[in-house]
Amino acid sequence: MRTLWKQAALSAAATALLALSLPGGASAEDARNGGVLRMIAHPEPPTLMLGLNQQGPTQFVAGKIYEGLLTYGPDLQPRPHLAERWEISEDGLVYTFHLRKDVRWHDGRPFTAKDVVFSATDFLAKVHPRARGHFSRADKIEALDDHTVRMTLKAPFAPFIMGFETSSAPMIPAHIYEGTDYQTNPANQTPIGTGPFKLAEWKRGAFIRLERNADYWQAGKPDLDGLNFVIVPDAASRALAFETGEVDVLRGGDIEYFDVQRLAASDGVTETRAGYEMLSPTMWVQFNLRSAPMDDARFRRAVMHAIDRQFIVDNLWFGFAKPSAGPIASTTPFYDEKALVNYDYDLKKAEALLDEMGLKKGPDGVRATVRFLPLPYGETYIRLGEYIRQQLEQIGIRTETVATDHAGWAKRLGDWDYDLSLNLLYQYGDPSLGVERAYVSTNLVKGSPSANVSGLNDPEVDRLFREAAVATDRDTRASLFSDLQQRISEQAYFGYLIEVQFPTLYRSGIENLVTGATGLNGEMEDVRLPKR
Amino acid sequence: MVKLDRAASRLVKAVAVILAIACMNFVLIRMAPGDPVAVMAGEAAMTDQAYLDELRERFGLDRPVHEQLLVYLGNVATLDFGTSYRQGRPVADIILERLPATLVLTITAFVISLALGITAGVIAARRPGGWVDTVVSTLALAFYATPLFWVGLMAILLFSLELGWLPAFGMHGATPPAGGFAYTAEVARHLVLPAMTLGLFYTGVYARLTRAQMLEVQSQDFVRTARAKGLTEARVERAHVLRNALLPVVTMAGVQAGHLVGGTILVETVFAWPGIGRLAFNALLQRDYSVLLGVFLVTSTMVVVINLLTDLVYGLIDPRIRFER
C-alpha cells in the first residue's frame, strides 16, 4: 500500500511539473516536427554570398541564409519580414521602414538600421546590378534611429515597394563587409545572414548542408532541423533521385516536362505551380528589329500567325504553360487581355501578309532566309526551336539554325548578332521592374543579353513606360499599361509564345512548402515534414 | 651517364609539351564564342554598362589577348593558377578538392577493367570456339559497343530503382560517417555503379585484345618448346603466353590511364560524382577560363607523366624495349 501511495504521489508531482513546464519555451520546441528536407541544387551555385551573385540556384539556396526587409504573398502584396511595418508618404516620395528589434546575425551581432543603410547605399549599390538600379532612385537613405530607416526618392516610383525581397535586396552585415573589398572578402565563403538556416557544410560538387538557426527571430522556427541540397547534374538522374526517395522535392527545371507529367501522376506525389508569381516567366521569339525583314510589322505579324501556341502548350510543355499574347504575363499586375490583338493560328493569313510585303517566294519556295538562335536550355527548348523552324518553313521563311551553348547564346544576343532568337523574361512583380527593360530605348546596352537586345526604339513605347513608372495612382498606371499592351501587341515587336509554368513536385504530407510569390526561393521557416 | 642524359632530355621534352599545351588551351578557349561577362550579366538579368565594364576590368578581359596570355604563362610558371571568376576562390583549391574523387573513380575503374578484361581474355583463349569463349566474346563486344551514358542510366534503373541495392548518385550521403572504415564502406557502395559503368568499355577492349594475343602467341614455337620441356599448362600460360600477349594490352592501358583524369565527364554527370570532369565541363559552359585552364594543365601534366610511366612498364614486361632508341 505504502509503495502504491508513493507512486501515485510521484506521478502527480510529475504531471504537475509537466503542466508547469508546458507554457514555457520548451513547448514550442516540442511542437516541431523537425527532420531534414532534401532537395536538389541545379546547377551548383558558384557562391552562397547572395549579395554578389543572383543566379537562380544561388537565390534558391542562399535565400534561406539571407533575408530581405519584406516578403510577398502570392497576390504580390508586400508582407512584413525584417521590417515589421512601413509607411509610404502621400506623394509617393518617402518610405519609412520600422525594423524588428530582435533580429541577430548568425554570428550573434544585432541587426540594425546601420546594416540596412550599408546594404542599400554601399554594398548592393556596388555589386548587385538590380538593386543598384532600384536604390539609385533614392535621393537619400538614412537611419533615423537603430531601428528606423527612411528612404527618400528623387521622383515617385510606384513599384519601389516591390524591390525588397531577399534576392532583390538581401541584407548584408555591415560589421563584416564595411571597408573591405567585397569580391575578395574571405567571409564570402562562410555567409553570415539573419535567415532561418545557417551554412553547415558545402562539399563542392556533392552537396550543400544548411542547419537550423536556433536563434532565429521567429520563436520556435524554423520547424526543420536542416536542409540538404544535393548536386545532381543530369536531368534523368534527378528524376531518378526523386523516384528512389533520395530527395523530397523537385523544382521546376530540375527535370524535363515529360518526366514531370509521369512523376506527378505517381502515388504520394503532390504537384503545384504556385510560387512563381514574382518571376512569371514569359517566352517569346525575339526579333532583331534593326534589319529587314524583321523591321516590318507585317513580317512579325506573319510569324505570330504561323505559330500554334496551343500546340506548344499541349505537346511540348505537356500542359505546364499558357499561351501568351502580350508583354505582361497574366499573373503580373496590369495585365489587360482586352488590349491585345488576337493573332490566331492561320498560315494563310501569314502568307498573305508576306505577299503584301512583297516578300515573294522564289523558285525553291523560299521568301527569305534568317539566322535563328534557339535557347540551349535542354530537350524541351530544343524541340521548341525545331517546331518554330518547321512552322516558318511552311510560310516560306528558311531558318539557318545556329547551335550554341548558353555562353555563346548570351554573347550573340548581347552583340545583336542574330535575326530571330528565343528568350525568356522574368517580370519581377511589376511591368516597370521586369518588362520595361526589354522595350525602352534607354536600355540599348551592347554586350548584355538581358538589355533591350531587339533594338526596339519606339518613342510612344518609351513615353508610356516612363509615365507609368512615376504615376502614383493605380488607375492611371493601369490605363497607361493598357495603352502599352495595345501598342506593342499591334506592332508585334515580339513573337509572344507562352507563359512558362514551373511545376514543383514534392512528397505529399510536406506542409507550407510554397507560401509566397518567390516560392521555393523563400526562407522556408514554416516548412514542416510529416511527424515521424 | 647515358641513361641520366636520356632521362633529362625526356623531362625537358615533357616540360616543353606541357608549355605548348598551356598556350594552345589558352588560344582554343578564347576562340570559343561567348565570354564570362556575358554569361554573368545574363544570369543576373543585368543590363547596366558600368557592371559589364567593371567585370571585364576585374578579370583583366579588357586587355589585349596576347597580354593576357603572357600574364597567364607568367602565373603558371610560378605555379599560380589564378582565381575562379565565378567562385572567387583560388583555382588550385578548387581543383584539389575535386581531384581525389575523380582519381578514386577512375583508378577503381582502371583496376576493375584490367583485372576482369585480362582474366576473361585468358579464359576465353583456353578453348577458342567453346561456349565460354562465345559468351565472353559476345559480352566483350556488347560492352565495347554500348554507350556509357545509357549503361549508366540502365544500371541506376535496375540496381537503384528496381532492386534498391545501391545508391543512385553521389559519392556518399549528405552526412557521411566520419572517417575510418565506415566512411570507406560508404564511398565503396557509391562507387560500384559508376566504376563498373566507366570500366565496362575497357573491360571489353582488354578481353578482346588479350584473347586475340593469347591465341596468336600460343601457336608460336617457343610455347611448343616450353610444353615439350614438360612445364605445367598453368606455368606455360602465365610465364610464356600471357607475358608475351600483354604488350598491346599495356599500350591500351596507357591510353585508358590517359583518361584517368579527363575522360569521365559523362559518368560523373550521370552519377553526380563530384569529380574534375564535371568541374571542367561546367567551367566551359560558364567560360570560367581560369578554372578550365587549370584543369587542362593539371590533366595534361598527368597524361605526360603517365606516358613516361607506361614506357617504364614496357621495359619491365619486355626487357628488349629498354635498350631500344
Side-chain angles (χ1 to χ4, degrees):
Chain A
M1 274 315 267
R2 288 260 296 269
T3 42
L4 206 71
W5 275 112
K6 216 178 190 173
Q7 268 183 6
L10 269 175
S11 67
T15 316
L17 267 175
L18 204 70
L20 273 177
S21 70
L22 266 178
S27 67
E29 289 288 312
D30 290 344
R32 286 202 309 121
N33 284 359
V36 172
L37 184 70
R38 299 161 307 164
M39 297 176 282
I40 292 174
H42 165 75
E44 183 169 23
T47 168
L48 291 179
M49 207 296 151
L50 187 56
L52 293 174
N53 184 287
Q54 280 73 49
Q55 215 188 332
T58 314
Q59 293 185 19
F60 174 41
V61 179
K64 284 86 189 132
I65 300 173
Y66 292 93
E67 291 182 298
L69 293 184
L70 307 175
T71 62
Y72 300 84
D75 54 358
L76 292 170
Q77 291 304 306
R79 301 192 291 207
H81 202 66
L82 290 180
E84 56 185 353
R85 60 200 165 82
W86 62 94
E87 292 117 34
I88 305 171
S89 66
E90 276 300 313
D91 59 3
L93 282 174
V94 183
Y95 288 65
T96 312
F97 292 93
H98 303 276
L99 309 180
R100 299 194 56 90
K101 297 193 172 69
D102 45 0
V103 180
R104 286 180 182 279
W105 295 103
H106 290 163
D107 62 1
R109 300 276 287 263
F111 163 78
T112 66
K114 188 182 176 212
D115 295 306
V116 179
V117 174
F118 168 75
S119 302
T121 60
D122 198 334
F123 192 98
L124 298 176
K126 281 208 180 92
V127 297
H128 190 305
R130 268 190 296 123
R132 165 168 30 207
H134 208 70
F135 289 117
S136 72
R137 295 184 180 269
D139 180 38
K140 251 191 330 215
I141 296 178
E142 59 204 327
L144 299 186
D145 60 47
D146 268 3
H147 298 97
T148 315
V149 176
R150 187 168 67 193
M151 303 189 182
T152 312
L153 305 194
K154 294 170 187 158
F157 182 59
F160 191 69
I161 196 65
M162 296 304 294
F164 291 92
E165 54 92 25
T166 305
S167 78
S168 299
M171 287 301 115
I172 309 296
H175 66 278
I176 289 177
Y177 284 95
E178 209 163 27
T180 67
D181 178 354
Y182 306 148
Q183 299 287 349
T184 58
N185 191 319
N188 294 343
Q189 308 303 330
T190 51
I192 298 282
T194 56
F197 295 93
K198 304 192 278 190
L199 177 64
E201 190 187 3
W202 184 359
K203 188 119 192 329
R204 308 265 171 174
F207 60 81
I208 302 168
R209 211 155 55 73
L210 304 187
E211 64 189 8
R212 181 169 188 266
N213 172 10
D215 295 327
Y216 191 51
W217 54 271
Q218 300 190 56
K221 294 180 182 180
D223 193 78
L224 297 167
D225 295 324
L227 303 171
N228 282 358
F229 301 87
V230 285
I231 290 141
V232 185
D234 174 57
S237 306
R238 288 194 290 272
L240 281 165
F242 186 72
E243 279 189 279
T244 54
E246 290 177 71
V247 299
D248 304 314
V249 179
L250 289 176
R251 290 202 308 155
D254 275 352
I255 58 176
E256 299 285 352
Y257 283 92
F258 46 80
D259 270 338
V260 173
Q261 195 191 27
R262 179 173 66 86
L263 290 176
S266 49
D267 283 343
V269 175
T270 303
E271 180 229 318
T272 177
R273 302 177 197 193
Y276 287 91
E277 295 83 6
M278 182 65 92
L279 296 182
S280 293
T282 52
M283 193 161 60
W284 59 47
V285 173
Q286 178 104 39
F287 298 108
N288 189 347
L289 302 166
R290 297 171 189 82
S291 50
M294 285 77 66
D295 59 352
D296 190 318
R298 288 168 296 186
F299 177 83
R300 304 190 298 264
R301 290 180 191 133
V303 171
M304 283 293 277
H305 280 302
I307 294 169
D308 184 354
R309 293 184 285 285
Q310 194 61 45
F311 175 91
I312 298 174
V313 169
D314 295 340
N315 296 292
L316 299 178
W317 260 259
F318 297 95
F320 297 103
K322 244 177 94 173
S324 154
I328 299 176
S330 60
T331 42
T332 301
F334 308 112
Y335 167 71
D336 184 0
E337 195 182 354
K338 291 190 291 290
L340 303 174
V341 180
N342 174 32
Y343 294 100
D344 54 335
Y345 173 55
D346 188 335
L347 294 177
K348 288 211 179 65
K349 276 188 200 167
E351 298 232 44
L353 281 164
L354 296 175
D355 284 338
E356 190 194 318
M357 274 176 73
L359 267 186
K360 295 275 181 270
K361 275 188 179 168
D364 52 355
V366 175
R367 300 170 190 270
T369 302
V370 293
R371 290 168 304 155
F372 178 44
L373 204 61
L375 258 183
Y377 279 178
E379 287 286 317
T380 305
Y381 291 86
I382 293 171
R383 287 180 202 174
L384 176 67
E386 287 163 358
Y387 170 72
I388 286 172
R389 177 192 171 102
Q390 198 183 326
Q391 290 306 107
L392 293 183
E393 247 156 43
Q394 288 193 42
I395 57 169
I397 299 164
R398 175 179 289 166
T399 57
E400 287 169 1
T401 303
V402 185
T404 58
D405 63 353
H406 182 254
W409 175 83
K411 172 85 176 158
R412 275 186 168 250
L413 213 63
D415 286 349
W416 311 336
D417 182 16
Y418 73 100
D419 293 329
L420 300 185
S421 179
L422 293 174
N423 206 347
L424 199 66
L425 187 83
Y426 290 150
Q427 310 226 322
Y428 294 111
D430 190 287
S432 294
L433 294 176
V435 179
E436 181 183 312
R437 58 203 168 113
Y439 294 84
V440 293
S441 64
T442 47
N443 201 22
L444 286 162
V445 177
K446 201 164 188 168
S448 169
S450 48
N452 171 0
V453 288
S454 62
L456 178 55
N457 191 349
D458 179 342
E460 177 68 2
V461 169
D462 283 351
R463 178 185 71 82
L464 289 167
F465 269 118
R466 197 170 53 238
E467 289 177 10
V470 297
T472 46
D473 172 54
R474 197 178 165 88
D475 291 341
T476 315
R477 295 193 81 206
S479 116
L480 288 166
F481 280 126
S482 289
D483 290 353
L484 246 172
Q485 289 172 81
Q486 194 179 355
R487 168 79 184 166
I488 292 170
S489 173
E490 269 168 14
Q491 290 298 317
Y493 285 128
F494 291 77
Y496 299 103
L497 299 175
I498 52 171
E499 294 178 10
V500 177
Q501 294 175 340
F502 288 123
T504 301
L505 300 179
Y506 59 97
R507 307 236 173 269
S508 307
I510 300 176
E511 294 168 42
N512 306 331
L513 187 64
V514 176
T515 54
T518 53
L520 294 177
N521 284 356
E523 286 77 6
M524 290 198 173
E525 75 269 27
D526 290 316
V527 178
R528 287 165 76 91
L529 292 177
K531 204 159 188 95
R532 284 156 303 171
Chain B
M1 252 355 261
V2 179
K3 253 188 184 167
L4 264 184
D5 274 0
R6 195 180 300 137
S9 89
R10 289 292 303 257
L11 212 61
V12 169
K13 269 187 207 157
V15 170
V17 165
I18 290 168
L19 204 68
I21 289 171
C23 290
M24 255 172 60
N25 286 339
F26 188 91
V27 173
L28 280 176
I29 290 170
R30 288 312 165 95
M31 279 166 63
D35 74 316
V37 171
V39 176
M40 287 172 138
E43 279 161 358
M46 178 36 241
T47 57
D48 164 19
Q49 188 72 53
Y51 177 73
L52 300 174
D53 294 344
E54 180 204 310
L55 284 179
R56 290 218 163 80
E57 197 191 320
R58 195 192 319 149
F59 302 153
L61 292 169
D62 51 345
R63 294 152 82 179
V65 175
H66 66 268
E67 229 176 83
Q68 292 179 43
L69 174 63
L70 284 179
V71 171
Y72 168 68
L73 288 179
N75 288 345
V76 166
T78 57
L79 290 181
D80 169 11
F81 291 172
T83 308
S84 161
Y85 301 159
R86 298 180 59 84
Q87 301 188 22
R89 299 191 304 144
V91 171
D93 291 2
I94 295 174
I95 293 177
L96 274 180
E97 72 191 6
R98 302 288 282 265
L99 195 57
T102 294
L103 289 179
V104 166
L105 171 63
T106 47
I107 291 174
T108 310
F110 181 68
V111 172
I112 289 177
S113 50
L114 261 182
L116 278 182
I118 294 176
T119 313
V122 168
I123 292 172
R126 284 203 182 131
R127 241 175 245 272
W131 69 269
V132 178
D133 181 30
T134 313
V135 170
V136 169
S137 300
T138 312
L139 275 181
L141 189 67
F143 291 170
Y144 180 76
T146 321
L148 278 185
F149 203 76
W150 188 83
V151 173
L153 282 175
M154 291 305 118
I156 296 178
L157 272 181
L158 179 61
F159 293 105
S160 301
L161 192 60
E162 285 300 317
L163 302 172
W165 291 351
L166 292 165
F169 64 84
M171 193 171 164
H172 39 58
T175 40
F181 180 74
Y183 179 81
T184 314
E186 169 101 345
V187 173
R189 237 164 55 80
H190 283 78
L191 189 59
V192 177
L193 289 183
M196 291 302 272
T197 305
L198 187 61
L200 275 187
F201 175 82
Y202 281 101
T203 307
V205 172
Y206 296 143
R208 289 163 60 80
L209 265 180
T210 310
R211 178 182 173 277
Q213 285 298 309
M214 291 285 284
L215 290 180
E216 197 185 314
V217 178
Q218 264 169 15
S219 63
Q220 287 181 9
D221 288 344
F222 72 91
V223 176
R224 233 172 279 155
T225 313
R227 286 217 176 87
K229 284 196 301 190
L231 291 183
T232 63
E233 195 54 35
R235 173 118 180 95
V236 173
E237 195 177 67
R238 228 180 314 122
H240 291 80
V241 184
L242 184 58
R243 193 183 175 115
N244 286 289
L246 271 187
L247 266 189
V249 177
V250 172
T251 310
M252 207 19 109
V255 174
Q256 187 189 4
H259 291 183
L260 277 184
V261 268
T264 60
I265 296 171
L266 277 186
V267 169
E268 285 182 2
T269 300
V270 173
F271 291 97
W273 195 262
I276 206 171
R278 243 171 72 203
L279 176 71
F281 186 60
N282 287 337
L284 174 71
L285 290 184
Q286 295 150 349
R287 302 293 187 271
D288 197 343
Y289 296 144
S290 47
V291 171
L292 202 54
L293 288 171
V295 173
F296 282 167
L297 200 66
V298 168
T299 50
S300 45
T301 307
M302 290 180 94
V303 170
V304 170
V305 171
I306 287 167
N307 276 332
L308 286 174
L309 290 177
T310 314
D311 286 358
L312 286 177
V313 174
Y314 276 147
L316 288 181
I317 292 181
D318 190 341
R320 283 171 301 176
I321 293 178
R322 245 179 276 172
F323 303 107
E324 278 169 16
R325 270 205 287 157

